[in-house]
Amino acid sequence: MSVKYSTQSSVRNNEIIDLKLHPNPVKDKLFVTSDIDFEKIEIYSIAGQLIKQINGNVKSIDLKYISNSKYLIRIKTKNGVISKTIIKK
């Protein structure tokens, strides 16, 4: 599934960012594509525990070793932070 996200209020000027997180639900690898560069990606459990942190621009995130559940992914850009939910199956 690919979705264009309108960024959250923490991103300046409510700009539209072409951000794709796929597949979602994810089994092993989550692919991240966007028209902007990332500074950091953080993945949190529903309880708020930091599960994984990646610095810099990445194209995929290996999630095969995390438990099946729902997670919050926070993507930090030069213009702010985008938060979305992903499901690991």
Side-chain angles (χ1 to χ4, degrees):
M1 170 200 294
S2 343
V3 180
K4 275 192 181 179
Y5 293 110
S6 173
T7 58
Q8 303 294 319
S9 59
S10 61
V11 175
R12 289 183 221 137
N13 301 325
N14 272 342
E15 58 188 312
I16 301 295
I17 295 173
D18 186 14
L19 171 67
K20 295 177 181 79
L21 303 173
H22 53 93
N24 192 11
V26 59
K27 183 176 181 181
D28 294 326
K29 278 199 183 219
L30 178 69
F31 294 93
V32 182
T33 56
S34 180
D35 57 352
I36 60 166
D37 289 332
F38 313 127
E39 294 175 3
K40 184 188 313 185
I41 296 176
E42 298 171 326
I43 298 176
Y44 291 89
S45 70
I46 293 301
Q49 178 184 14
L50 180 63
I51 302 296
K52 192 166 192 128
Q53 179 175 307
I54 302 109
N55 292 317
N57 231 16
V58 296
K59 301 294 181 196
S60 67
I61 303 169
D62 185 3
L63 298 177
K64 77 174 104 174
Y65 298 111
I66 68 171
S67 301
N68 293 348
S69 186
K70 190 181 275 190
Y71 294 90
L72 176 70
I73 184 167
R74 296 186 71 216
I75 301 171
K76 183 177 181 192
T77 72
K78 66 179 179 173
N79 294 329
V81 176
I82 303 164
S83 297
K84 296 296 165 194
T85 303
I86 58 170
I87 299 170
K88 167 70 166 65
K89 286 196 170 187

